[in-house]
């Protein structure tokens, strides 16, 4: 028997945000950045981070302004009720789609590095099952798990970065700042994709125990991720150089594979890295699944939205199997994100914000009807 | 919630409290009691006549063996029958004053009470008190005469320490509460007694320190205890299983201890102790996994040693959970992960082994569990012998026969030792059960399977709560409650443990004002 008070602390929410963001981007970010802007990846990460902080600020501001209200209720009272149904449904599709692709990438990596002869279906199925188990336990469990895993993931990762740094050559980062503004603009979607996940604050905002402080803690979380990505990018480029990075499928794992401890019990850290990797990506998949179940629960106004966790399993499974090859799956993902992300990240929040300001203005003018 | 209701809700309390008011005549009362206690041959009825002219009839009724006969002889019967005759009645109508006379002047017993129904009196009698019936008087006097033989206080066998007090709880309720009271001479220490069990009427006491305890937790404890509707409570284990949060979990959500010092320290931390009659195990709530990994000795030893031991314990718990599964995963899926030399040794070792690694691990783990169980059941000296015979002979023979790799034997042995390094037996046994799950996961999906199993266990642990306190606290809320980490993997010096844990009452968080710092001239960094 649980008490179901269903509240997470600010630090737990921050941990959820950090882990969700890290899982979506960490694996391929250095490669796609190197392909797009060469050695200036760090610059792009900072610019993209700044943009995302701006967006996150809007998101947190919305959450803060409507304490105790779910996102659907917020939309309903700002943009009318029919719109809220449509938007919530679209959001659910967005999160399910994003999650499915994440699961696909995860399974490909696990298959490639750990289970060469295991069918990918088994891997997909098992990870989704585990995520569904977590989603059924609710937000409190997720919050606690996130705060528990945050140091367990980050401390070893930072140590690994440091160790990898030893073999690097910092001059690989030169020449610096050679990209034109146009190139940067074109590459922005890549980097913003790597930050995806911060938008879950919109849906999880209702569960935060101190909503008036949510802006500060969520911004902190994003700044943290920006720093982490910057370190990752600098270390990767300085180890492999720009050209080689573009040829690696999973530059982060390749980076860690360069670390060796001859004579120690673990001669290569691959197994260790893969263990970390499972944790990292799981902590992206599970929150996204929980977000989707929460949205569906709001949409159908059920008493307990945990019942949606398992029925989503086959759906995720089939979407995750779309695309015969990894490249094809990536192409689908890009298309999907390009169509949906602006809508989720920018258009809806901004229109809520505008509506909020208009309503506030009207109220100030004495029109209590709105 | 559903299960809780299914177990405890729904049924209304039955109306079984019939009350018979005692009759004026002692004969009728005796008959009623004899009728209630038909075929109970351990009840002693002693009818006496008192007064200078033997004009009053009285009767003592008690359960043979549960009442203190010496007390009855010397201070009840002697006073009633012999001493009272030496004093002249003071003229008044003694008949009407008899009760007052007896109570205030005759019976030299510390505890006397009166009840107004026969059923109540019988209830008292069955717990060891003595009924004193008087003629012409429609109340029943109860003489506190509990005095049955019990085990003396001895060193607890489950939680031995090298340094620390040697006394342990016994099966006697009052002895146990006394042992706790001796350590907390504070009027704020409350002992709330109740009886649980429709037939057994077992005494249960909820103990807490009034101003430190978290009122929400206390309320929840009382609520859950009141909900218990069972015929008998034979041990605190019954209570534990009936009030725990999640009965499906392999992890105990209530701590039990045989040590009064552990109980006292828990009470000082704002926790609640549940003392159950006939059980030397006192229950402590709320319990966290952190509390179960602590031993009372940690606080008596110096902090650096205690910290090292704590770290070792967490390490032991981890390897007792995952070491065999890592062996299975690495040998059957990822031999490239270990150094080449080691991989070669392993390959040579396993050359003759006819089973896959998972079968090998299961055989050895089952054997060691068999040995453990057999060792517990057998009397002391034989138990040790079984350990040696089993451990040395079977291990050696299995390796020589070539059905198990030597490394597997080493791993199983290390794992078994590690699991005994966990201070709480019930946590260790949970880990031991889960170890088999890990082995299966490793056998099916290798290292990925092990990670999935770890996630499964972590998710489950994160979802657990013990009386509204997260089971994994303070590991899951350390950013807000960073001070609490000082008593987890490490134990910070006592002078730095200024605050109680987060689940104590907020107003009483501070527990120590350190004068040492001023005395030794250490600057405070606040």
């Amino acid at each position: 028997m649980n008490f179901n008070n269903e509240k997470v602390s600010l630090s737990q929410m921050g941990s959820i945000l950090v882990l969700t963001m890290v899982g979506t981007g960490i694996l391929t970010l250095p490669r796609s950045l190197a392909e797009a802007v060469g050695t200036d990846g760090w610059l792009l990460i900072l610019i993209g981070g700044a943009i995302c902080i701006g967006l996150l600020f809007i998101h947190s501001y919305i959450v803060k302004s409507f304490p105790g209200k779910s996102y659907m209720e917020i939309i309903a009272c700002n943009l009318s009720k029919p719109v809220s149904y449509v938007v919530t449904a679209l959001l659910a599709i967005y999160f399910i789609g994003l999650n499915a692709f994440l699961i696909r990438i995860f399974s490909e990596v696990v298959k490639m590095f750990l289970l060469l002869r295991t069918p990918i279906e088994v891997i997909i199925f098992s990870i989704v099952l585990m995520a569904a188990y977590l989603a059924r336990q609710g937000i409190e469990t997720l919050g606690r798990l996130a705060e528990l895993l945050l140091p367990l993931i980050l401390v070893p990762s930072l140590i690994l970065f440091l160790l990898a740094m030893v073999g690097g050559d910092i001059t690989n980062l030169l020449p610096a700042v050679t990209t034109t503004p146009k190139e940067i603009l074109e590459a922005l979607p890549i980097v913003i994709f790597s930050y995806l996940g911060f938008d879950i604050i919109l849906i999880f905002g209702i569960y935060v125990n101190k909503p008036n402080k949510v802006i500060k803690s969520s911004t902190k979380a994003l700044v943290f991720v920006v720093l982490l990505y910057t370190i990752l990018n600098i270390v990767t480029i300085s180890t492999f150089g720009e050209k080689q990075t573009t040829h690696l499928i999973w530059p982060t794992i390749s980076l860690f594979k360069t670390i060796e401890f001859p004579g120690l019990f673990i001669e290569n850290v691959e197994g260790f890295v893969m263990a970390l990797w499972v944790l990292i990506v799981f902590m992206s998949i599970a929150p996204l699944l929980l977000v989707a179940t929460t949205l569906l629960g709001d949409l159908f106004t059920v008493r307990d939205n945990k019942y949606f966790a398992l029925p989503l399993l086959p759906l995720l499974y089939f979407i995750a199997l779309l695309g015969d090859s990894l490249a094809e799956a990536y192409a689908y993902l890009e298309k999907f994100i390009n169509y949906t992300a602006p809508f989720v990240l920018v258009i809806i929040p901004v229109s809520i914000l505008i509506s909020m300001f208009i309503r506030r203005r009207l109220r100030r003018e004495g029109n209590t009807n709105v | 919630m559903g299960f809780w209701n299914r177990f405890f809700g729904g049924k209304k309390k039955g109306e079984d409290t019939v009350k018979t008011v005692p009759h004026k005549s002692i004969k009728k009362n005796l008959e009623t009691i004899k009728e209630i206690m038909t075929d109970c041959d351990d009840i002693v009825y002693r009818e006496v006549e008192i007064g200078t002219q033997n004009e009053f009839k009285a009767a003592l009724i008690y359960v043979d063996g549960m009442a203190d006969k010496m007390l009855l002889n010397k201070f009840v019967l002697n006073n009633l029958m012999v001493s009272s005759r030496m004093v002249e009645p003071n003229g008044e109508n003694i008949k009407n004053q008899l009760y007052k006379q007896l109570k205030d002047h005759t019976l030299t017993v510390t505890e006397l009470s009166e009840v107004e129904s026969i059923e109540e009196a019988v209830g008292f009698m069955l717990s060891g008190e003595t009924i004193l019936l008087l003629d012409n008087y429609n109340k029943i006097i109860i003489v506190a005469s509990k005095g049955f033989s019990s085990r003396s206080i001895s060193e607890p066998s489950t939680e031995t320490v090298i340094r620390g007090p040697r006394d342990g709880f016994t099966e006697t309720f009052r002895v146990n509460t006394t042992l706790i009271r001796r350590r907390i001479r504070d009027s704020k220490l409350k002992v709330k007694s109740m009886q649980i069990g429709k037939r057994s009427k077992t005494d249960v006491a909820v103990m807490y320190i009034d101003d430190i305890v978290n009122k929400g937790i206390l309320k929840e404890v009382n609520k859950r205890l009141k909900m218990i509707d069972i015929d008998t409570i034979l041990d605190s284990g019954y209570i534990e299983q009936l009030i725990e949060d999640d009965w499906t979990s392999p992890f105990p959500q209530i701590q039990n201890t045989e040590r009064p010092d552990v109980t006292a320290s828990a009470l000082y931390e704002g926790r609640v102790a549940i003392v159950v009659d006939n059980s030397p195990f006192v229950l402590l709530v709320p319990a966290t996994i952190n509390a179960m990994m602590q031993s009372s000795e940690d606080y008596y030893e110096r902090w650096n040693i205690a910290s090292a031991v704590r770290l070792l314990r967490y390490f032991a718990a981890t390897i007792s959970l995952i070491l065999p599964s890592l062996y299975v995963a690495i040998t059957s899926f990822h031999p490239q992960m270990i150094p080449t030399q080691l991989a070669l040794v392993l390959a040579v070792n396993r050359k003759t082994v006819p089973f896959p690694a998972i079968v090998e691990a299961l055989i050895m783990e089952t054997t060691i569990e068999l040995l453990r169980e057999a060792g517990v059941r057998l009397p002391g000296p034989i138990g040790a012998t079984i350990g040696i015979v089993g451990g040395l002979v079977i291990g050696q023979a299995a390796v020589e026969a070539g059905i198990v790799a030597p490394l597997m034997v080493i791993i199983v042995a290390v794992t078994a030792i590690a699991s005994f390094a966990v201070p709480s037996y019930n946590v260790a046994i949970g880990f031991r059960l889960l170890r088999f799950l890990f082995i299966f996961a490793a056998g099916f999906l290798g290292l990925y399977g092990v990670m999935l199993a770890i996630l499964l266990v972590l998710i489950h642990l994160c979802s657990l709560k013990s009386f509204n306190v997260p089971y994994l606290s303070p590991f899951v809320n350390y950013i807000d409650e960073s001070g609490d980490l000082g008593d987890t993997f490490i134990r910070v010096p006592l002078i730095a443990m200024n605050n109680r844990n987060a689940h104590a009452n907020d107003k009483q968080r501070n527990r120590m004002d350190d004068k040492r710092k001023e005395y030794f001239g250490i600057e405070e960094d606040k």
Side-chain angles (χ1 to χ4, degrees):
Chain A
M1 62 167 281
N2 279 318
F3 285 74
N4 289 325
N5 51 355
E6 296 274 311
K7 285 282 175 209
V8 290
S9 69
L10 284 173
S11 58
Q12 288 172 343
M13 193 69 229
S15 312
I16 296 177
L17 282 178
V18 169
L19 290 174
T20 312
M21 281 186 263
V22 167
T24 54
I26 200 164
L27 207 60
T28 55
L29 182 68
R31 172 171 52 96
S32 37
L33 278 181
E35 278 170 0
V37 293
T39 51
D40 284 342
W42 57 273
L43 183 68
L44 205 62
I45 289 176
L46 292 182
I47 295 173
I51 293 173
C52 287
I53 287 178
L55 290 173
L56 184 61
F57 190 83
I58 296 176
H59 294 181
S60 315
Y61 184 77
I62 293 172
V63 166
K64 184 192 154 186
S65 307
F66 298 94
K69 277 196 176 171
S70 73
Y71 193 41
M72 189 169 163
E73 287 164 350
I74 296 176
I75 301 172
C77 79
N78 280 296
L79 306 170
S80 84
K81 208 152 189 190
V83 175
S84 76
Y85 279 101
V86 177
V87 169
T88 310
L90 285 174
L91 275 173
I93 293 172
Y94 162 78
F95 280 114
I96 292 170
L98 183 64
N99 205 357
F101 286 112
L102 208 59
I103 292 166
R104 172 62 179 270
I105 296 169
F106 170 84
S107 313
E108 293 280 354
V109 174
V110 169
K111 185 171 165 59
M112 187 165 162
F113 287 95
L114 289 177
L115 298 167
L116 271 176
R117 281 177 295 172
T118 306
I120 195 164
E121 287 82 358
V122 176
I123 302 170
I124 294 180
F125 195 76
S126 56
I127 194 74
V128 181
L129 208 60
M130 200 56 72
Y133 176 57
L134 178 51
R136 279 181 67 89
Q137 306 292 325
I139 181 82
E140 268 188 58
T141 305
L142 177 68
R144 289 191 211 121
L145 188 64
E147 191 163 334
L148 177 73
L149 288 182
L150 190 69
L152 292 184
I153 289 173
L154 287 180
V155 173
S157 305
L158 288 175
I159 293 174
L160 287 175
F161 281 145
L162 276 179
L163 289 171
M165 198 83 176
V166 177
D169 179 4
I170 206 83
T171 55
N172 277 337
L173 281 168
L174 299 172
V177 200
T178 54
T179 34
T180 59
K182 185 167 171 280
E183 280 174 312
I184 288 183
L185 266 185
E186 277 169 359
L188 264 183
I190 301 172
V191 73
I192 290 181
F193 166 63
S194 72
Y195 288 116
L196 276 188
F198 66 85
D199 35 334
I200 60 172
I201 187 76
L202 284 170
I203 292 95
F204 283 163
I206 181 179
Y207 301 122
V208 178
N209 61 358
K210 290 173 198 149
N212 50 339
K213 289 185 186 158
V214 77
I215 295 182
K216 199 175 153 198
S217 74
S218 57
T219 313
K220 244 191 250 171
L222 188 55
V223 169
F224 195 78
V225 176
V226 172
L227 286 179
L228 202 70
Y229 280 177
T230 315
I231 297 174
L232 168 71
N233 200 55
I234 289 176
V235 175
T236 316
I237 301 283
S238 67
T239 307
F240 296 121
E242 178 199 337
K243 282 283 165 312
Q244 201 188 340
T245 310
T246 57
H247 293 300
L248 299 167
I249 308 179
W250 317 111
T252 315
I253 292 181
S254 308
L255 173 71
F256 290 147
K257 281 180 87 170
T258 60
I259 305 167
E260 276 188 5
F261 304 102
L264 262 178
F265 180 74
I266 321 171
E267 201 160 54
N268 56 44
V269 287
E270 187 192 316
F272 187 62
V273 171
M274 286 317 296
L276 269 182
W277 161 245
V278 171
L279 288 183
I280 292 175
V281 183
F282 178 78
M283 284 313 287
S284 279
I285 294 173
L288 290 179
L289 183 60
L290 184 60
V291 165
T293 59
T294 311
L295 284 169
L296 289 176
D298 286 347
L299 194 62
F300 296 105
T301 53
V302 289
R303 197 163 47 87
D304 200 344
N305 44 35
K306 76 177 183 191
Y307 299 120
F308 282 106
L310 275 178
L312 284 181
L313 204 150
L315 192 63
L316 283 168
Y317 175 77
F318 284 117
I319 301 177
L321 283 174
L322 281 183
D324 290 332
S325 68
L326 194 60
E328 211 174 315
Y330 259 112
Y332 281 130
L333 172 63
E334 228 159 84
K335 218 176 267 177
F336 179 75
I337 296 295
N338 285 344
Y339 279 114
T340 50
F343 178 74
V344 175
L345 296 183
V346 187
I347 296 174
I348 305 173
V350 168
S351 38
I352 291 177
L353 204 64
I354 293 171
S355 151
M356 269 168 64
F357 282 123
I358 292 174
R359 275 154 36 94
R360 197 171 294 174
R361 176 74 58 81
L362 287 177
R363 203 177 299 145
R364 205 173 298 151
E365 282 166 10
N367 188 345
T368 49
N369 228 353
V370 183
Chain B
M1 257 343 237
F3 263 107
W4 191 260
N5 285 335
R6 218 176 299 165
F7 271 124
F8 302 114
K11 205 168 68 179
K12 287 275 167 290
K13 267 235 158 94
E15 285 299 318
D16 50 9
T17 47
V18 190
K19 284 201 169 175
T20 320
V21 182
H23 203 268
K24 276 247 178 193
S25 141
I26 188 168
K27 246 188 189 157
K28 287 245 168 99
N29 284 339
L30 266 174
E31 268 168 22
T32 321
I33 293 177
K34 275 183 180 161
E35 200 182 318
I36 295 174
M37 305 304 297
T38 319
D39 289 345
C40 297
D41 294 341
D42 54 345
I43 311 289
V44 177
Y45 303 88
R46 173 80 169 91
E47 288 166 62
V48 291
E49 289 173 344
I50 54 177
T52 38
Q53 264 80 49
N54 287 343
E55 66 267 52
F56 307 116
K57 277 196 175 149
L60 282 177
I61 311 169
Y62 61 91
V63 182
D64 198 14
M66 284 183 84
D68 185 352
K69 271 188 200 158
M70 281 302 285
L71 179 129
L72 292 180
N73 290 346
K74 263 191 171 168
F75 304 110
V76 179
L77 286 177
N78 188 40
N79 289 6
L80 283 177
M81 299 168 73
V82 184
S83 310
S84 62
R85 276 166 225 226
M86 299 176 194
V87 191
E88 272 297 303
N90 54 357
E92 293 280 310
N93 191 353
I94 188 135
K95 218 168 182 178
N96 302 334
Q97 301 264 327
L98 184 64
Y99 172 69
K100 201 172 152 26
Q101 198 73 25
L102 278 178
K103 201 178 91 177
D104 297 346
H105 305 291
T106 314
L107 296 175
T108 49
V109 183
T110 51
E111 256 183 82
L112 273 184
S113 57
E114 56 181 275
V115 294
E116 291 183 12
S117 87
I118 289 183
E119 280 75 16
E120 222 177 318
V122 168
F124 274 112
M125 181 186 75
L126 290 176
S127 62
E129 320 288 32
T130 302
I131 295 177
L132 176 58
L133 289 176
L134 284 178
D135 209 2
N136 285 328
Y137 186 64
N138 61 353
K139 282 182 184 169
I140 299 175
I141 298 177
I142 303 292
V143 180
S145 64
K146 260 185 206 163
F148 36 84
S149 52
S150 63
R151 189 166 65 94
S152 63
I153 297 173
S154 59
E155 192 175 356
S157 53
T158 55
E159 293 161 90
T160 44
V161 294
I162 294 172
R163 179 168 180 185
R166 298 262 185 258
D167 52 351
F169 290 125
T170 69
E171 283 75 9
T172 321
F173 178 69
R174 200 41 81 198
V175 172
N176 292 353
T177 57
T178 316
L179 282 174
I180 299 168
R181 174 68 82 178
R182 258 170 48 188
R183 287 168 167 82
I184 309 175
R185 294 177 190 171
D186 185 349
S187 60
K188 298 283 189 203
L189 172 68
K190 308 294 180 198
V191 187
K192 294 285 279 178
S193 292
M194 61 181 86
Q195 287 191 334
I196 298 180
K198 278 176 297 193
R199 286 179 192 279
S200 72
K201 303 253 181 355
T202 310
D203 287 319
V204 174
V206 177
M207 297 183 77
Y208 53 94
I209 299 181
D210 201 29
D211 51 348
I212 305 179
V213 75
N214 183 326
K215 287 286 171 350
I217 293 171
L218 180 65
K219 212 173 129 195
E220 187 64 31
V221 171
N222 282 324
K223 202 172 119 196
R224 290 193 198 173
L225 283 176
K226 292 229 167 67
M227 270 197 268
I228 295 177
D229 185 17
I230 192 172
D231 58 344
T232 174
I233 301 287
L234 288 179
D235 184 82
S236 55
Y238 276 55
I239 302 241
E240 178 183 342
Q241 290 171 61
L242 290 171
I243 66 172
E244 69 187 347
D245 290 71
D246 183 358
W247 56 271
T248 55
S249 172
F251 294 99
Q253 295 129 62
I254 293 174
Q255 190 184 353
N256 63 58
T257 182
E258 267 190 283
R259 299 185 60 87
D261 57 332
V262 171
T263 313
S265 123
L267 291 174
Y268 281 124
E269 276 290 337
R271 294 164 72 193
V272 179
I274 302 169
V275 186
V276 181
D277 197 12
N278 298 323
S279 172
F281 289 95
V282 167
L283 303 178
L284 302 174
V285 293
T288 59
I289 195 122
N290 183 36
M292 312 247 198
M293 298 294 279
Q294 297 169 347
S295 157
S296 62
E297 209 174 359
D298 297 351
Y299 300 93
Y300 309 143
E301 240 356 303
R302 274 177 14 267
W303 71 277
N304 35 19
I305 296 164
S307 300
V309 173
R310 283 269 177 90
L311 279 174
L312 190 68
R313 252 182 240 146
Y314 275 93
F315 177 68
T318 317
I319 65 172
S320 83
L321 195 58
I322 63 171
L323 194 62
S325 56
L326 280 184
Y327 172 84
V328 172
I330 286 175
T331 49
S332 29
F333 286 87
H334 330 280
Q336 79 278 10
M337 279 179 190
I338 45 176
T340 326
Q341 291 284 314
L342 185 61
L344 284 176
V345 172
L346 244 179
V348 172
N349 272 341
R350 281 188 48 80
K351 204 177 63 188
T352 57
V353 179
F355 309 115
I358 174 171
V359 177
E360 193 189 347
L362 285 176
I363 291 175
M364 286 314 283
E365 284 295 338
T366 315
T367 313
I368 206 98
E369 288 302 310
L370 270 177
L371 286 173
R372 183 193 55 77
E373 183 62 18
V376 173
R377 300 291 154 241
L378 287 171
I382 309 179
T385 321
I386 282 284
I388 294 164
V389 170
L392 288 180
V393 178
I394 295 184
Q396 186 67 27
V399 169
E400 271 174 17
I403 58 164
V404 171
L407 190 62
M408 185 73 237
V409 178
I410 297 174
I411 283 178
V412 166
V414 169
T415 313
I417 293 168
S419 78
F420 287 113
V422 176
S424 295
Y425 180 73
N426 44 1
V427 174
I429 215 151
F431 280 149
R432 238 184 253 134
L433 265 180
L434 288 172
R435 187 155 75 214
F436 285 92
L437 172 85
F438 274 70
I439 293 174
F440 278 112
F444 289 124
L445 288 170
L447 197 59
Y448 172 62
V450 176
M451 286 313 291
L452 282 184
I454 289 178
L455 272 174
L456 183 73
V457 171
L458 281 183
I459 294 171
H460 173 68
L461 282 173
C462 282
S463 73
L464 271 188
K465 271 182 168 184
S466 170
F467 289 82
N468 222 3
V469 172
Y471 194 53
L472 280 186
S473 64
F475 304 118
V476 291
N477 42 18
Y478 60 91
I479 298 179
D480 292 339
E481 292 287 346
S482 50
D484 283 2
L485 278 186
D487 194 11
T488 51
F489 298 119
I490 51 162
R491 182 184 74 72
V492 293
L494 212 53
I495 52 166
M497 299 175 91
N498 290 332
N499 288 323
R500 292 178 222 284
N501 274 334
H503 48 69
N505 193 337
D506 278 342
K507 285 174 193 144
Q508 290 281 337
R509 287 294 296 281
N510 190 23
R511 62 187 288 219
M512 177 163 73
D513 286 320
D514 190 14
K515 301 280 189 289
R516 264 173 54 122
K517 284 181 183 162
E518 295 155 30
Y519 184 72
F520 289 108
I522 305 165
E523 271 184 44
E524 226 172 317
D525 47 0
K526 265 184 190 170

